[in-house]
Amino acid sequence: MKKIYIKTWGCQMNEYDSSIISNLLLNQKKYFLVNKPEDANILILNTCSIREKAKEKLFHQLGRWKKLKEKNSKIIIAVGGCVATQEGEEIYKRANYIDIIFGTQTIHRLPNMIEKVKKEKKFLIDISFPTKEKFDALLKPRHSKISSYISIIEGCNKFCSFCIVPYTRGIEVSRKCDDILFEIISLANKGIKEIHLLGQNVNAYRGKTAYGGICSFSELIELISEIDEIKRIRFTTSHPVEFTDEIINVYKKVPKLVNFLHLPIQSGSNRILNLMKRGHSVLDYKQIINKLLLIRPNMQISSDFIVGFPGETELDFHKTMELIEEINFDMSFSFIYSPRPGTPASIMSDKNVSLQEKKNRLYLLQKKIRKQAFNWTKKMMNSIQLVLVEGVSKKNITELYGKTENNRIAYFQGISTMIGKFVKVKITHTFIHSVRGIFVDYVN
């Protein structure tokens, strides 16, 4: 038996890719997963290049695994993901004890690469971009009984000046519409109630249909909504430039589309947005939000923010803080800017603001977002929420947990037969990102 350990860093797409890798290997019966690297003879690291010092983090991890390989020379070490695609053979030059480097679009080739390494005892690398081949070859990822991620588009054509994604994930490639629908119908027949559509630029989706036409993102959502068993639809991550009126109008037509939207803006300053090459203004962004709120007044918005981008002044940061208050963002992913090698922003001067000042700005931004998030949660007090029950609480086996429409984890006392069902829960306690309540009734 080949014992596999998979370590995953990064975004939901990386988590999705790791589930694909797991499924590909587990469907070959000679493989099974273990929870500790010490118990494995195949170590797989799925990397992310978004965070700061991604390369250093990679080599620190490989150094720990090197010690395991020194004890057992038969261990196979495979490195994949965005850092692997970005750095390629340079990783092997620095860590020549690894066996495989695979790319974001070659995860489906990993089982064959492992078998080849076992036979030939040679280092292998494949960081090419056969995205359509990947879509066609994938066995579907394992999923919970309730909710499932579905990858519908990979890559990005926006080339924001700070972002490495177009270089590590490639240009936008959409899956065929019918393939997505067949997969969702299959999942629905297995009890899935919620679908979460994934893509680096998910609302840029343009997939081919069986009749040679093109299905837009808004059309895809409408088609998914017609599958009776699917009760909720979410998507991540969208881009303001692609957030068309057609997509906005879908919120009128599709009640299954949740009242929660993650729409990254990165900065509240037009000057900084221009330097970032985002392709939209603050006004463009606010117009999207205002149109959505006319349709869904209770819509909650989360976003991404980069603090300390090269050239950011105190005034630029102040404009970001003003926008956060005006939109009343619910949640955010926010980071201090760090350069990514090969991106246009990496050669921009970044000396006008000290690291300490950047940390101060990030603290102020995150403090404000946390306060607003808590205010949003407090509004749920004494309300009746529809909760999709996902399982038993890890902290209290007498409690169940599930997710509300606005992305809060809800805890309540219940019985195991509720798992996988929608229930009504009256909220009795509120926290920043979670709530506690009491069971009221089932939802038909």
Side-chain angles (χ1 to χ4, degrees):
M1 298 288 284
K2 298 175 183 176
K3 295 173 284 185
I4 314 155
Y5 176 78
I6 303 176
K7 190 172 187 66
T8 308
W9 294 330
C11 64
Q12 289 167 324
M13 186 64 79
N14 268 27
E15 294 287 350
Y16 180 85
D17 281 350
S18 288
S19 70
I20 292 287
I21 292 168
S22 170
N23 201 31
L24 285 167
L25 292 170
L26 295 184
N27 272 276
Q28 299 183 23
K29 295 182 181 179
K30 51 195 169 185
Y31 295 96
F32 70 98
L33 283 173
V34 295
N35 296 321
K36 297 179 182 178
E38 295 81 7
D39 297 334
N41 46 34
I42 299 171
L43 301 170
I44 301 170
L45 180 58
N46 191 5
T47 62
C48 173
S49 59
I50 297 298
R51 297 295 183 92
E52 189 176 5
K53 299 180 180 178
K55 198 160 56 168
E56 287 83 348
K57 185 178 178 182
L58 162 67
F59 288 111
H60 286 154
Q61 181 62 59
L62 289 179
R64 289 189 283 270
W65 285 359
K66 180 183 180 183
K67 294 176 183 178
L68 297 176
K69 189 156 186 172
E70 287 171 347
K71 294 178 183 178
N72 179 5
S73 61
K74 294 182 179 180
I75 285 176
I76 292 174
I77 299 177
V79 180
C82 292
V83 178
T85 304
Q86 179 183 343
E87 299 295 328
E89 203 160 346
E90 293 300 313
I91 298 173
Y92 181 72
K93 290 179 181 178
R94 187 166 160 183
N96 62 6
Y97 48 88
I98 67 174
D99 303 280
I100 296 169
I101 295 176
F102 62 98
T104 57
Q105 307 305 330
T106 54
I107 61 174
H108 58 292
R109 297 177 179 175
L110 185 57
N112 288 337
M113 294 175 78
I114 291 172
E115 291 303 309
K116 194 170 183 180
V117 164
K118 281 185 66 68
K119 291 176 183 177
E120 299 180 6
K121 312 294 183 185
K122 292 181 180 179
F123 166 72
L124 288 179
I125 180 171
D126 186 349
I127 53 173
S128 56
F129 287 88
T131 310
K132 290 182 180 178
E133 177 189 312
K134 172 186 173 181
F135 281 149
D136 291 340
L138 294 184
L139 291 169
K140 305 313 174 194
R142 294 172 182 265
H143 52 78
S144 71
K145 296 178 181 177
I146 306 101
S147 180
S148 184
Y149 289 104
I150 304 290
S151 178
I152 67 167
I153 181 173
E154 292 226 13
C156 184
N157 295 348
K158 296 297 174 286
F159 288 91
C160 298
S161 64
F162 58 84
C163 187
I164 197 69
V165 166
Y167 308 96
T168 58
R169 289 275 179 179
I171 61 170
E172 293 164 1
V173 178
S174 297
R175 283 180 72 184
K176 294 176 183 177
C177 173
D178 292 345
D179 288 351
I180 295 169
L181 294 175
F182 287 146
E183 180 177 354
I184 294 174
I185 290 169
S186 173
L187 292 170
N189 290 336
K190 294 175 183 177
I192 291 293
K193 301 287 196 307
E194 179 182 85
I195 292 297
H196 196 138
L197 305 176
L198 280 184
Q200 280 79 28
N201 191 12
V202 69
N203 54 328
Y205 175 81
R206 303 287 188 277
K208 289 184 179 179
T209 68
Y211 303 102
I214 297 295
C215 177
S216 70
F217 183 62
S218 57
E219 290 168 336
L220 178 64
I221 289 174
E222 290 189 60
L223 289 170
I224 294 170
S225 73
E226 292 174 8
I227 302 171
D228 290 339
E229 295 84 356
I230 300 303
K231 306 300 183 184
R232 271 188 192 164
I233 302 171
R234 301 181 186 270
F235 58 86
T236 309
T237 292
S238 49
H239 194 290
V241 169
E242 302 282 358
F243 217 98
T244 62
D245 286 345
E246 184 183 34
I247 294 172
I248 292 170
N249 288 332
V250 167
Y251 282 87
K252 288 181 184 177
K253 304 175 185 178
V254 181
K256 292 180 180 181
L257 200 53
V258 297
N259 264 352
F260 189 92
L261 172 66
H262 183 72
L263 186 61
I265 187 170
Q266 308 298 355
S267 174
S269 164
N270 284 327
R271 193 178 71 85
I272 296 300
L273 291 177
N274 188 49
L275 290 172
M276 290 177 169
K277 298 191 182 301
R278 288 288 290 168
H280 63 84
S281 67
V282 173
L283 179 60
D284 295 333
Y285 187 91
K286 289 196 289 190
Q287 286 177 336
I288 293 169
I289 302 302
N290 289 335
K291 289 176 182 178
L292 283 169
L293 291 175
L294 287 174
I295 298 169
R296 301 275 190 98
N298 296 320
M299 175 78 76
Q300 291 171 234
I301 311 294
S302 70
S303 194
D304 292 352
F305 296 96
I306 294 174
V307 172
F309 188 80
E312 182 187 74
T313 65
E314 184 67 34
L315 177 60
D316 294 321
F317 177 68
H318 180 69
K319 289 179 178 179
T320 298
M321 295 294 282
E322 285 184 330
L323 180 71
I324 288 172
E325 184 168 354
E326 180 180 351
I327 300 295
N328 194 16
F329 286 107
D330 179 16
M331 300 178 186
S332 78
F333 295 100
S334 49
F335 313 98
I336 292 174
Y337 169 77
S338 58
R340 293 293 167 265
T343 60
S346 66
I347 60 173
M348 296 172 64
S349 175
D350 189 22
K351 298 179 180 179
N352 60 313
V353 181
S354 68
L355 178 59
Q356 186 57 52
E357 175 59 24
K358 292 176 183 179
K359 289 180 179 179
N360 291 342
R361 291 179 185 179
L362 182 64
Y363 169 78
L364 291 172
L365 187 150
Q366 291 181 338
K367 181 181 179 182
K368 189 171 190 65
I369 293 282
R370 280 197 302 272
K371 181 180 179 181
Q372 291 180 182
F374 194 20
N375 287 338
W376 275 110
T377 310
K378 284 190 287 188
K379 292 179 182 179
M380 299 169 69
M381 188 69 176
N382 294 320
S383 68
I384 304 294
Q385 297 288 322
L386 297 185
V387 175
L388 179 54
V389 187
E390 297 185 16
V392 178
S393 169
K394 293 180 181 178
K395 294 183 179 180
N396 184 345
I397 60 172
T398 68
E399 285 189 334
L400 301 176
Y401 75 93
K403 193 173 290 183
T404 64
E405 185 176 345
N406 65 344
N407 234 22
R408 264 56 176 181
I409 300 297
Y411 298 93
F412 65 98
Q413 290 197 331
I415 55 178
S416 60
T417 54
M418 294 177 181
I419 296 173
K421 295 182 173 63
F422 281 93
V423 299
K424 294 179 181 179
V425 174
K426 182 176 181 179
I427 306 305
T428 58
H429 296 81
T430 59
F431 310 95
I432 295 181
H433 301 307
S434 65
V435 293
R436 179 165 274 105
I438 55 176
F439 170 76
V440 175
D441 198 1
Y442 288 95
V443 178
N444 293 329

